[in-house]
Structures are given as C-alpha cells and as structure tokens.
C-alpha cells in the first residue's frame, strides 16, 4: 500500500458523524476510563462507520464520502497492539482514497495519529460500496456484505432525549451518545462477528491534522 505524498505533513480535516459497535455489554467502559478499564469481555472487537459531511486531505475533497473500520484490541485499549482495517468509499478518487488511508492508518497525524502508535498490524484497506443512513434516531452502515450494522440510542426516562456522556476526553469526541446495536454483523478479513444487542456509540466528529508545531 503506497503512502500518499506528504503523509504526516498534509493538512486535513473531517467533520461528520461516527458510529461504533463493539462486543462490550452496554456501555463500553473505554469512553470514560480512556482505556484504563478493560473491555467487558477482556478484549475488544468492533466495527465503525464514519460519515464525512465536510472534509479534505490537502487539495482533495472528501465531503460526502463514507468510511468503514474494523478494530481488534487484545486487552486494555491504552496498551496498544491493535489490529485494524479500513474500507474506503468506492466513490473516492485516487487522491482521496490514498488520503483517507493516511488518515485512518494514523500516518497523517492529528486526531487519528494515535492509530500509528497503538495499531501494531494494519490488516489493509480496500475500496467498497459503503452506505451510511440516518432514519430518525437509527443509524445504519452497510459495507457490501462485509459489515451490516444498525444502531439505536438507548432510551432514557425522557424518550425524546438521548443518554449522552458529555465532556469526556475520549479521542473521538467529547460527547458520546449511549447506544446499542440492533444489527452488527461482520464478515471480513477472516473475522466472523455478530454484536447484536451489544454496546454502541454515536459521536459527532470534528477531526484535523497534522499538529502545527508551536
């Protein structure tokens, strides 16, 4: 996989929404503990979807594209040794495709730079038809037949208001909506997972990089 030119120096930004479904029982402890608490099953397996409403990598426009991720963490999140894979929207041009690989491998630094530190094995990236749908409070991600996910917020006392962990230092964003999966099937990179009924998260994202030296 060839890196895009300027990796780690090219300015980039992404605004949109992220959803994630993992094998934890509701609710994943990593959001508040920042990896100091082990996943509820002792290890983490997860899929994620990103809807890019506005974005760029250098001069390449990423707006309107979607990305799917697969993550596998053997223990405490902060200890690293992650495995990861990326699915890039097949509507992306070549520059956008390479730019998104730089971002989600962590090589582009900035918000996702921790991937470069924590991921010991990047399983690969491939183009795919990806749909990310919002229907009311329901979010759906489809990555061909490889990821079929649907998540909904966990209902609170007031059904009109989501349960939200606010003001966190979680890397994805400060405010995380507590959700659960009504569908969470993965068939990719030798993994066969089904996380229906397990923990899920919804987060509005505003990421950028690389950091500008002071």
């Amino acid at each position: 996989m060839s890196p895009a030119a300027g990796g780690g120096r090219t300015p980039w930004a992404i605004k949109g929404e992220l959803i994630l479904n993992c094998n934890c029982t509701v609710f994943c402890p990593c959001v508040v503990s920042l990896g100091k608490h082990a996943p509820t099953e002792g290890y983490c397996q997860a899929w994620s979807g990103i809807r890019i409403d506005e974005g760029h990598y250098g001069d390449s426009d990423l707006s309107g594209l979607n990305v799917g991720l697969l993550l596998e963490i053997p223990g405490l999140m902060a200890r690293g040794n992650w495995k990861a894979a990326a699915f890039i929207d097949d509507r992306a041009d070549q520059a956008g495709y390479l730019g998104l690989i730089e971002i989600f491998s962590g090589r582009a630094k900035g918000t996702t730079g921790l991937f470069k530190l924590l991921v010991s094995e990047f399983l690969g990236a491939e183009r795919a038809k990806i749909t990310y749908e919002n229907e009311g409070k329901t979010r759906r991600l489809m990555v061909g037949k490889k990821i079929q996910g649907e998540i909904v917020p966990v209902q609170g006392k007031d059904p009109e208001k989501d349960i939200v962990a606010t003001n966190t230092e979680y890397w994805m964003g400060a405010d995380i909506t507590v959700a659960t999966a009504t569908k969470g099937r993965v068939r990719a990179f030798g993994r066969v997972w089904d996380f229906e009924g397990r923990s899920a998260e919804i987060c509005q994202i505003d990421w950028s990089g690389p950091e500008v030296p002071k």
Side-chain angles (χ1 to χ4, degrees):
M1 182 172 55
S2 300
R9 299 184 302 276
T10 302
W12 66 272
I14 286 176
K15 292 183 180 181
E17 184 176 81
L18 178 149
I19 57 174
L20 182 146
N21 171 215
C22 67
N23 64 320
C24 282
T25 52
V26 180
F27 179 56
C28 171
C30 294
V31 172
V32 175
S33 76
L34 304 179
K36 296 176 183 176
H37 191 294
T40 65
E41 307 306 297
Y43 59 92
C44 176
Q45 299 169 328
W47 61 265
S48 178
I50 296 94
R51 187 193 72 223
I52 303 173
D53 297 329
E54 300 176 31
H56 67 87
Y57 180 85
D59 295 330
S60 181
D61 186 11
L62 305 177
S63 303
L65 300 178
N66 303 312
V67 176
L69 298 176
L70 180 152
L71 297 169
E72 197 168 58
I73 305 171
L76 292 177
M77 181 178 72
R79 289 184 180 172
N81 205 27
W82 299 15
K83 295 181 181 178
F87 299 94
I88 308 298
D89 199 316
D90 61 7
R91 295 173 299 159
D93 61 21
Q94 184 67 2
Y97 171 75
L98 292 175
L100 286 167
I101 292 174
E102 292 294 296
I103 292 169
F104 287 99
S105 68
R107 292 194 297 261
K109 300 184 179 180
T111 307
T112 55
L114 83 168
F115 281 2
K116 192 172 187 296
L117 300 175
L118 297 175
V119 174
S120 62
E121 184 179 354
F122 190 66
L123 301 172
E126 58 184 60
R127 292 182 179 271
K129 181 178 180 180
I130 305 174
T131 59
Y132 187 119
E133 299 175 344
N134 291 50
E135 182 179 340
K137 290 181 177 290
T138 301
R139 274 76 164 177
R140 298 187 184 92
L141 179 77
M142 301 290 289
V143 182
K145 296 182 178 180
K146 297 185 177 182
I147 301 177
Q148 299 177 19
E150 180 179 277
I151 70 171
V152 294
V154 171
Q155 185 170 308
K157 184 175 182 180
D158 182 344
E160 297 302 314
K161 297 180 179 179
D162 294 338
I163 302 171
V164 182
T166 62
N167 193 37
T168 76
E169 291 190 26
Y170 203 39
W171 73 271
M172 296 191 313
D175 301 329
I176 308 296
T177 298
V178 180
T180 188
T182 49
K183 181 184 293 184
R185 293 197 293 268
V186 175
R187 304 290 186 275
F189 290 96
R191 277 72 176 167
V192 180
W193 300 338
D194 190 342
F195 300 146
E196 180 180 344
R198 294 280 170 161
S199 183
E201 304 163 13
I202 303 169
C203 178
Q204 305 307 307
I205 61 173
D206 186 356
W207 299 347
S208 61
E211 299 93 340
V212 177
K214 295 182 180 179

